C-alpha cells in the first residue's frame, strides 16, 4: 500500500517535468501559419489573423507545448488597416525573428498595403509603426547574416530573395528567384536557415487544403542554385499512411532549435469533424525533427502527424490560463478580437456590463460591432445575459465569415435563431419573450451547435440545433475558423455575465 502511495506521490511531483509525449494541436482553434523564434529558453510564436483586430497574436512558451497568449503585435489602427477585409484578406502568414536585441515581425496586409515589418525590444510590445517593403508576394520571411538582412517571399509563383534595409524598408539588391518548389502548386511560406555550411529553404506547396505539404531545398550559396531534398515531401498527411487520420492539411512550418540542441517544427494543420469538414480553422501543431550534421532534416521520423505524439519533449512548463472574462476590469484580454478595425466608441464598459452600440449587420464587412474569441475547444458552451434597448438586435454569433454565421439574438420582444449561409438568410425559430434581460446560451460538440435561452438562468428552452459542418471552411469558406462573440446591430445592447 505504501509503495502505491509513494508511486502516486512520485507521479504527482514529477508531472511538471514529465518529458514523454504530448498532444497536437499545441494551440487549438483558428491559429494558422505559425512562426516561432527562441531567445534563451523562451519561445515566441505568432499566427496570421486575416480580417480580425488586433492582429497577429503572440504566444510565449518554455517547452513548445504549453503556450500563453501574451498579446498581439498589431494593436493600433496606424499599424493595421482592415478596410474592406474579409476572411480571405487582411493579415496573411507572419514570421517572427529575433536579432541582436530586436524582435521582428514581417507579414502581408493583403488589400491594404502589402508587405511590411514591425520591430520591438520586447515580444510584449509595443511594436513599431510599419516599415513598408517593396518586394511583392505573400508570406515574407527574414534572414539575418553578417549584418545583412534578407527578405524572401513568393511573387510570380516562386520564392524570391532580396537584401533590405530593415530600418527604412529600402530594397538594397534586386529580387532573385531561389526556387520554384518541387512541383506542387502555390510555393509559399518560405523560411531560410543556415546549418553546417548549407542554406536550407523550407517552403509549403499544394495549397492550404488537403494537399498542403512541406518541401525543402538547400544550397551552399544563399542565392542558389537550390537542390531539392530527394526525400521530399518533408511533411505530408496526404499519403497512404496519413490519409485516414483526423489531422489533414499539414504544411506552412517553421523550424526552431531548443537550447538542448533538439530541433522542432511548428506548422499548421486542421482536424476533420463529421467527415471531411473543419470548422475550427487551421491550428498550430508541433513535430520533432531529427537533423544530423550535413544531412537533410527528417520530421517525425518521416511519419504523418497524429493527435498523440510519442516524442521525448523538453521539460514541461505549465502556462497560466487566460483570465476569466470580467467586464468590470474594463478590458477583455488579448484573445478577444473584432471584425475589422473596431469603432472604439461602440464598446463601452459600464460597471459589470458591456454596452455595444450597433454599426450594421454582421453579414456586411463594414466594421460591425462584434467582439469574440476563437472557438478553441471542440466541446463547450458560451453564455451571456443580453438586454437590447428599443429596436436594437443583440446576441451571440457563431461567426465563420460574413456570409456564414449562426446568430442567437433578442430583438423586439422575441428571441430568435438566424442561419446565414451564402444566399440563405433565414430565421430558424423565434419565440416571444416577456423579460428585459435574457440568458442566451450556445453549447457545442464536434457535430452541432445548440441554441437555448432562459429568463431566469435556471430553466432553458431550445430554439434548435445547427450543424458545425455548414460553418466549415469547406462549405462557408474563408481562411479563418469559428469565432464566437457578442454583437449588436441597430442600437444599444447591454451584455452581462
Ligand atoms: C498563407 C499561406 C497559406 O499566407 O495560406 O497555408 C495563406 N498557408 O502561406 C493564408 O493562410
Amino acid at each position: 500500500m505504501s509503495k502505491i502511495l509513494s508511486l502516486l506521490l512520485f507521479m504527482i511531483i514529477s508531472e511538471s517535468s514529465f518529458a514523454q509525449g504530448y498532444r497536437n494541436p499545441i494551440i487549438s482553434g483558428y491559429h494558422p501559419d505559425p512562426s516561432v523564434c527562441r531567445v534563451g529558453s523562451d519561445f515566441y510564436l505568432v499566427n496570421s489573423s486575416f480580417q480580425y483586430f488586433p492582429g497577429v497574436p503572440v504566444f510565449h512558451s518554455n517547452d513548445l507545448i504549453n503556450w500563453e497568449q501574451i498579446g498581439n503585435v498589431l494593436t493600433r489602427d496606424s499599424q493595421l488597416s482592415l478596410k474592406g477585409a474579409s476572411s480571405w484578406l487582411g493579415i496573411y502568414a507572419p514570421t517572427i525573428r529575433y536579432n541582436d536585441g530586436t524582435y521582428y515581425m514581417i507579414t502581408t496586409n493583403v488589400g491594404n498595403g502589402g508587405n511590411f515589418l514591425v520591430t520591438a525590444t520586447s515580444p510584449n510590445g509595443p511594436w513599431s509603426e510599419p516599415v513598408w517593403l517593396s518586394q511583392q508576394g505573400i508570406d515574407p520571411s527574414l534572414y539575418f547574416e553578417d549584418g545583412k538582412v534578407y527578405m524572401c517571399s513568393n511573387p510570380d509563383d516562386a520564392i524570391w530573395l532580396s537584401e533590405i534595409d530593415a530600418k527604412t524598408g529600402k530594397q538594397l539588391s534586386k529580387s532573385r528567384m531561389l526556387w520554384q518548389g518541387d512541383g506542387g502548386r502555390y510555393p509559399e511560406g518560405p523560411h531560410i536557415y543556415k546549418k553546417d555550411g548549407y542554406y536550407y529553404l523550407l517552403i509549403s506547396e499544394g495549397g492550404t487544403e488537403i494537399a498542403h505539404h512541406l518541401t525543402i531545398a538547400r544550397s551552399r550559396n544563399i542565392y542558389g542554385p537550390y537542390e531539392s531534398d530527394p526525400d521530399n515531401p518533408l511533411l505530408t498527411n496526404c499519403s497512404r499512411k496519413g490519409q485516414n487520420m483526423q489531422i489533414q492539411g499539414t504544411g506552412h512550418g517553421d523550424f526552431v532549435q531548443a537550447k538542448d540542441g533538439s530541433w522542432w517544427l511548428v506548422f499548421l494543420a486542421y482536424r476533420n469533424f463529421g467527415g471531411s469538414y473543419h470548422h475550427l480553422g487551421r491550428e498550430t501543431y508541433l513535430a520533432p525533427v531529427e537533423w544530423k550534421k550535413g544531412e537533410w532534416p527528417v520530421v517525425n521520423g518521416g511519419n504523418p502527424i497524429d493527435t498523440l505524439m510519442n516524442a521525448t519533449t523538453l521539460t514541461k512548463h505549465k502556462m497560466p490560463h487566460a483570465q476569466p472574462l470580467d467586464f468590470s476590469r474594463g478590458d477583455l484580454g488579448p484573445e478577444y478580437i473584432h471584425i475589422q478595425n473596431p469603432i472604439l466608441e461602440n464598446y463601452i464598459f459600464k460597471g459589470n456590463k458591456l454596452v455595444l452600440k450597433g454599426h450594421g449587420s454582421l453579414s456586411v464587412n463594414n466594421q460591425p460591432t462584434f467582439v469574440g474569441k476563437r472557438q478553441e475547444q471542440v466541446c463547450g458552451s458560451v453564455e451571456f445575459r443580453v438586454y437590447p434597448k428599443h429596436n436594437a438586435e443583440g446576441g451571440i454569433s457563431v461567426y465563420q465569415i460574413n456570409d456564414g454565421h449562426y446568430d442567437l439574438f433578442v430583438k423586439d420582444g422575441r428571441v430568435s435563431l438566424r442561419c446565414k449561409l451564402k444566399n440563405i438568410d433565414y430565421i430558424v425559430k423565434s419565440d416571444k419573450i416577456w423579460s428585459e434581460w435574457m440568458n442566451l446560451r450556445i453549447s457545442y460538440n464536434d457535430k452541432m451547435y445548440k441554441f437555448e435561452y432562459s429568463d431566469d438562468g435556471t430553466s432553458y428552452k431550445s430554439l434548435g440545433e445547427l450543424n458545425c459542418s455548414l460553418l466549415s471552411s469547406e462549405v462557408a469558406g474563408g481562411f479563418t475558423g469559428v469565432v464566437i462573440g457578442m454583437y449588436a446591430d441597430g442600437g444599444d445592447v447591454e451584455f452581462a455575465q
Side-chain angles (χ1 to χ4, degrees), residues 22-36 43-47 59 61 63-67 202 208 212 214 235-237 245-256 263-273 277-289 299-300 303-309 311 375-376 378:
Y22 63 94
R23 289 191 81 90
N24 265 321
I26 49 168
I27 307 178
S28 54
Y30 141 56
H31 292 101
D33 303 316
S35 169
V36 65
F43 297 96
Y44 298 101
L45 183 147
V46 290
N47 297 108
F59 291 85
S61 172
D63 61 10
L64 289 168
I65 295 162
N66 296 289
W67 294 89
L202 172 69
T208 195
H212 205 205
L214 284 171
L235 173 68
T236 182
N237 267 26
M245 288 184 165
Q246 187 193 16
I247 295 169
Q248 292 297 323
T250 51
H252 201 106
D254 196 5
F255 289 124
V256 68
W263 282 90
W264 298 88
L265 177 82
V266 297
F267 57 98
L268 77 73
Y270 57 83
R271 286 176 290 171
N272 277 328
F273 297 102
Y277 300 102
H278 71 284
H279 60 290
L280 294 188
R282 297 166 298 158
E283 310 175 293
T284 293
Y285 290 71
L286 179 73
V289 177
V299 175
N300 198 33
N303 294 305
I305 304 302
D306 213 341
T307 39
L308 287 177
M309 300 290 288
Q375 184 189 328
E376 295 181 348
V378 179

Side-chain angles (χ1 to χ4, degrees), residues 383-451:
E383 178 164 359
F384 289 106
R385 295 172 60 224
V386 178
Y387 170 28
K389 303 279 181 63
H390 310 296
N391 300 113
E393 168 180 330
I396 314 175
S397 180
V398 181
Y399 183 95
Q400 173 70 271
I401 188 170
N402 66 306
D403 56 7
H405 50 97
Y406 301 150
D407 312 325
L408 174 62
F409 65 93
V410 179
K411 184 183 174 166
D412 293 337
R414 302 191 75 85
V415 60
S416 309
L417 171 60
R418 173 191 296 118
C419 170
K420 167 68 182 154
L421 188 63
K422 312 261 179 195
N423 50 6
I424 298 168
D425 188 342
Y426 85 109
I427 299 297
V428 179
K429 193 164 188 256
S430 175
D431 283 352
K432 181 113 193 85
I433 52 171
W434 308 102
S435 143
E436 284 185 335
W437 282 91
M438 288 309 284
N439 284 53
L440 302 181
R441 181 166 79 187
I442 302 178
S443 340
Y444 44 87
N445 59 27
D446 58 338
K447 294 185 189 64
M448 304 299 281
Y449 290 98
K450 182 175 180 186
F451 302 87

Side-chain angles (χ1 to χ4, degrees), residues 33 48 50 92-93 138-139 188-189 208 212 252 268 282 479:
D33 303 316
S48 48
F50 301 94
Y92 275 34
I138 57 164
D139 303 350
E188 58 192 14
T208 195
H212 205 205
H252 201 106
L268 77 73
R282 297 166 298 158
F479 277 138

